[in-house]
Amino acid sequence: MVKIFEEILRRRTFGIVSHPDAGKTTLTEKLLLFGGAIQEAGAVKSNKIKKTATSDFMEIEKQRGISVATSVMAFEYLDRHINILDTPGHQDFAEDTFRTLTAVDSAIVVVDVAKGVETQTEKLVNVCRMRKTPIMVFINKLDREGRDGFDLLDEIEAKLGLKLCPLSWPVGMGAEFQGVYNIWNSSLLLYEGSNKQKIEKSFSINDLGSSDLENRIGENAANTLRDEIELIRGVYPKFDKKAYLEGDLCPVFFGSALNNFGVKELLDCFVEIAPSPQPKMSIERLVDPTENIFSGFVFKIHANIDPNHRSRIAFVKIVSGEFQRNKNYFHVREKRQLKFSSPLTFLASKRAIVESAFPGDIIGLPDTGNFRIGDSLTSGEELNFKGIPSFSPEHFRFINNADPLKSKQLSKGIDQLMDEGVAQLFTLKSNGRKIIGTVGALQYEVIQYRLEHEYGAKCSYENYSAHKALWIESKNEKQLEEFLKFKSRYTAEDKFGRIVFFADSSFGLQMSIEKFDKLVFHEKSEY
Ligand code: G4P
C-alpha cells in the first residue's frame, strides 16, 4: 500500500497542446533529453501532417505509424515519473486530441511568440477549461522577433479566457534577446555568446535593484527589466498553487525550445507544482487513485498496427489501484473477465511489456475488437467513467453501400471504426439513413480506405448539409415530442441512442432555441 501511494505521488501525466508549428515536438524532445529518455535531438519524429500532405493518404498511414510510437512518452526526472501524452495538432484529428485531454492531469500550452494565439490552441484550451485542467503556458521562439510580451499576455487572457501569472520574463527579444529573468526563483538566465546556441548561464539575483544587473545585461536592458517586473507585480496576481490546481490561474514561462532555453526552468517548476493523478468521477461514484482496487478507462484506440491482423491497441489510463499483467479484469460494458498477457508501456519511442502499472500511467492493451472508447476496466466493480464526451462534428455525409454483396462487412467495419472514434455515426429518425460526422474532411478518405482494405467493403458518400449536431436535453416530454414531429427530417440517434438535432445554420438553431424553450441543445454528448 505504501508503494502504490509513493508511486501515485511521483506521477505527473500531462499533454502539450499547441497549434501546429508552435514547437510542441521540439519542446517534447527537449523534455525527454532532460529526462535521459533520449540521447540526441531529432529522436522524436514530429507526428504532424505537413500542410502540403492533407490529402495524401499514404502520408496519413505513415503518420499513423509514427503517432502510435509517440502516443505516450514516459521519463524520469528528479524522481518523478512523467508521462507525456501526445496530442495531434492537425485539426482533422482534433477529436483524438479532445479525447486524449480526458486522460491528462495537467497541460502545457505552447504559444509562438510571433503568431500568438492560433485557432487550434483556442479549441484545445477550451476543452481543458471545460475540464478545469491545470494549465502552464510556454511562450516559445524568443530567439526570433516576436510580439510585445504584455500584448501577448493580453491576447492569451482575452482569447483563451485564462487568468495568467508570469513566472518568467524575457530580457529583450529576437536579435536583442539576452535571456530570461526567472520570477519563480529570482534568477537570471543568460545566453552565453552571441550565437544563442544552447549554452546558458544562470545567476541568482535576489535584488533587481542591484547594480549587478547592469553589469550582466547593460543599463538599458536592466532598466527595462526592472520596469517590466514592477508592472507585472502590480498587474498580475501572485502565483497561487491552489488556484493553478483548480484551473483558475496559469503560470507563464518564456523561452526557446529549439535552443533549449528556459525549458529546464519550465520543467523544474512543472514537477514541483503539477498535480499527481486526481480522483475521477464515474456514474456510480468518485474514484480515488489511492484505492487499492484497480480501475481505468479507454481513451484512445489505435488500429491497424498490423493491417494483416486487424490489430489494435487500446490505451487505458489507470485511475486507481495497481494493474498487473496476467490478472483477470472486468470489462464493465461487456460484463466479462479479460486477462492481458502482453500489456505495453511506452518509453520514449520504445514499447515494452509491462508487469505492473500505477494510477496516472497509460498502458496499451492489444485488442481484437473488444474495446470501445470510454470503456471501463476494473477489478470487478461496476464503474462507468464519465468525461469522454463526443463533440459536434463539423462535416456530415450520408454513407451508402457501394457493394450490395458486402453489406455485412460494411456494417461491421463501420461499427468498429466508430468504436475506435474515427468518426461519429448518426441514424436519421425519419428514414433510417446513416450519416457520418467528422471533425475533418480527411476522415472520409480514411474511412473509405480502411473499409475497403480491412473489411473488404465499399462505400460512397453524399453530402448532407448541416451546420452542427446537437444533443438534446429535454425538460418537458411534450415539447420534445412536438419538436421531434416538427423537425423529424433533421433528427437522428447517435450510436448510443441519444437524440441529436442537425441544425442547418446558427440562425436556424437560434430559432429552435427560442421556439422550444424547454429543450437544451448541447454541442457535446455529456452535459
Ligand atoms: P509542432 O510540433 O508544434 O508542430 O512544432 P515543431 O516542434 O515541429 O516546430 C515547428 C518549427 O519551429 C520547426 O522548424 C522547429 O525547428 C521550429 N522551432 C521550434 N522551437 C523553436 C524556437 O525556439 N526557435 C525557433 N527559431 N524555431 C523553433 P521547421 O523548419 O518547421 O522544422 P525542422 O526542419 O527544423 O524540423
Side-chain angles (χ1 to χ4, degrees):
M1 198 57 202
V2 175
K3 185 178 171 212
I4 179 166
F5 215 74
E6 282 172 4
E7 291 297 338
I8 294 167
L9 286 179
R10 216 156 89 73
R11 294 291 189 279
R12 299 285 180 278
T13 301
F14 78 108
I16 304 182
V17 300
S18 74
H19 193 84
D21 272 351
K24 179 169 66 76
T25 311
T26 314
L27 180 63
T28 306
E29 189 167 277
K30 293 294 147 68
L31 295 175
L32 293 176
L33 278 168
F34 277 118
I38 54 169
Q39 309 311 326
E40 56 186 291
V44 180
K45 297 274 184 311
S46 165
N47 79 353
K48 71 186 162 193
I49 293 173
K50 297 275 180 204
K51 290 176 206 84
T52 49
T54 40
S55 57
D56 177 345
F57 193 76
M58 287 332 285
E59 184 61 19
I60 304 168
E61 283 297 285
K62 211 164 79 204
Q63 295 293 346
R64 274 157 45 80
I66 292 171
S67 75
V68 73
T70 58
S71 285
V72 190
M73 288 160 281
F75 68 96
E76 300 268 326
Y77 182 75
L78 298 180
D79 199 34
R80 301 288 197 284
H81 183 92
I82 300 172
N83 298 308
I84 306 183
L85 269 56
D86 192 36
T87 54
H90 191 283
Q91 61 161 6
D92 285 10
F93 293 91
E95 184 88 20
D96 206 21
T97 300
F98 295 160
R99 283 190 297 257
T100 299
L101 290 176
T102 65
V104 304
D105 296 307
S106 70
I108 294 182
V109 176
V110 182
V111 175
D112 182 320
V113 70
K115 295 187 178 151
V117 173
E118 298 172 86
T119 47
Q120 208 54 19
T121 327
E122 250 178 291
K123 283 193 190 166
L124 299 174
V125 169
N126 263 338
V127 177
C128 292
R129 281 184 39 221
M130 206 173 79
R131 310 175 49 77
K132 295 209 134 281
T133 307
I135 292 176
M136 288 171 84
V137 178
F138 184 69
I139 300 186
N140 191 26
K141 306 198 186 180
L142 262 287
D143 56 315
R144 286 205 187 149
E145 222 47 67
R147 309 248 306 269
D148 171 72
F150 287 106
D151 281 356
L152 206 53
L153 296 187
D154 280 353
E155 180 180 292
I156 297 174
E157 289 204 327
K159 284 198 178 163
L160 300 183
L162 303 176
K163 189 105 206 72
L164 301 179
C165 157
L167 289 186
S168 84
W169 193 252
V171 180
M173 194 182 286
E176 304 291 309
F177 183 48
Q178 298 198 53
V180 287
Y181 176 64
N182 190 335
I183 304 173
W184 172 244
N185 65 4
S186 307
S187 65
L188 185 66
L189 285 153
L190 296 179
Y191 271 130
E192 195 176 71
S194 56
N195 62 354
K196 304 197 165 62
Q197 287 301 309
K198 297 179 179 61
I199 304 158
E200 62 191 58
K201 267 201 167 169
S202 158
F203 308 95
S204 238
I205 301 233
N206 287 324
D207 176 13
L208 275 180
S210 131
S211 60
D212 198 22
L213 194 61
E214 268 88 355
N215 299 338
R216 304 281 185 199
I217 60 177
E219 198 179 328
N220 281 348
N223 285 334
T224 310
L225 181 65
R226 286 184 189 118
D227 289 349
E228 291 180 339
I229 296 295
E230 201 183 315
L231 192 58
I232 289 171
R233 296 211 161 113
V235 172
Y236 293 96
K238 257 187 130 161
F239 177 69
D240 172 354
K241 189 166 169 184
K242 186 165 170 279
Y244 157 72
L245 291 175
E246 287 169 357
D248 292 331
L249 188 65
C250 311
V252 182
F253 282 83
F254 290 81
S256 164
L258 188 65
N259 295 301
N260 207 356
F261 200 89
V263 177
K264 185 171 177 296
E265 290 60 42
L266 174 79
L267 180 59
D268 285 346
C269 178
F270 172 84
V271 291
E272 209 174 314
I273 66 171
S276 52
Q278 298 298 296
K280 190 164 172 69
M281 202 61 198
S282 68
I283 290 175
E284 294 75 13
R285 65 181 181 89
L286 187 69
V287 181
D288 195 273
T290 55
E291 294 180 21
N292 62 5
I293 46 170
F294 167 81
S295 68
F297 66 94
V298 177
F299 65 94
K300 176 183 173 112
I301 293 178
H302 199 103
N304 210 9
I305 315 292
D306 175 357
N308 298 326
H309 295 97
R310 215 182 272 168
S311 59
R312 333 203 278 185
I313 292 183
F315 289 84
V316 174
K317 160 102 186 266
I318 301 178
V319 177
S320 69
E322 182 177 351
F323 173 89
Q324 285 171 345
R325 185 165 88 97
N326 279 329
K327 206 171 160 179
N328 272 322
Y329 290 112
F330 182 53
H331 185 313
V332 176
R333 180 175 53 85
E334 294 209 329
K335 303 208 182 318
R336 64 191 177 102
Q337 298 286 332
L338 292 174
K339 188 154 67 180
F340 305 94
S341 60
S342 32
L344 301 167
T345 48
F346 306 83
L347 280 161
S349 51
K350 288 190 216 74
R351 282 188 247 169
I353 291 193
V354 64
E355 291 299 327
S356 70
F358 298 95
D361 285 344
I362 312 297
I363 46 171
L365 302 178
D367 174 42
T368 47
N370 291 318
F371 287 114
R372 184 187 276 184
I373 300 232
D375 277 349
S376 303
L377 200 62
T378 72
S379 296
E381 190 177 345
E382 184 118 358
L383 291 174
N384 290 281
F385 286 105
K386 287 172 47 165
I388 312 185
S390 302
F391 293 83
S392 171
E394 290 173 22
H395 302 259
F396 302 89
R397 291 186 195 171
F398 283 118
I399 182 164
N400 301 321
N401 186 0
D403 181 352
L405 296 176
K406 299 282 170 63
S407 61
K408 246 192 177 153
Q409 286 86 334
L410 184 75
S411 75
K412 176 163 186 199
I414 294 177
D415 217 38
Q416 291 208 349
L417 293 184
M418 299 307 125
D419 281 354
E420 270 175 40
V422 176
Q424 293 179 56
L425 183 73
F426 303 99
T427 309
L428 273 187
K429 274 184 157 310
S430 56
N431 57 14
R433 286 193 74 182
K434 309 255 184 245
I435 292 171
I436 302 261
T438 66
V439 178
L442 198 60
Q443 248 65 5
Y444 291 106
E445 261 182 82
V446 174
I447 293 168
Q448 201 162 36
Y449 179 95
R450 290 191 54 195
L451 283 174
E452 190 167 343
H453 290 84
E454 290 169 39
Y455 300 90
K458 285 203 167 90
C459 74
S460 65
Y461 299 115
E462 238 175 280
N463 268 340
Y464 178 77
S465 152
H467 163 65
K468 265 191 183 129
L470 300 129
W471 282 264
I472 302 179
E473 180 187 3
S474 159
K475 300 200 162 137
N476 180 313
E477 281 313 299
K478 201 162 157 267
Q479 197 172 74
L480 178 64
E481 245 173 64
E482 210 181 297
F483 177 81
L484 293 177
K485 213 161 111 197
F486 188 64
K487 295 276 184 194
S488 69
R489 286 173 51 210
Y490 307 101
T491 51
E493 277 186 7
D494 75 0
K495 201 164 182 293
F496 302 94
R498 295 175 293 215
I499 303 169
V500 170
F501 167 53
F502 293 113
D504 56 356
S505 63
S506 49
F507 177 72
L509 174 60
Q510 197 49 42
M511 299 281 287
S512 298
I513 292 173
E514 280 165 24
K515 188 157 186 228
F516 297 94
D517 58 344
K518 305 248 171 1
L519 304 183
V520 190
F521 299 87
H522 298 278
E523 288 196 29
K524 56 184 197 319
S525 64
E526 262 183 23
Y527 37 82

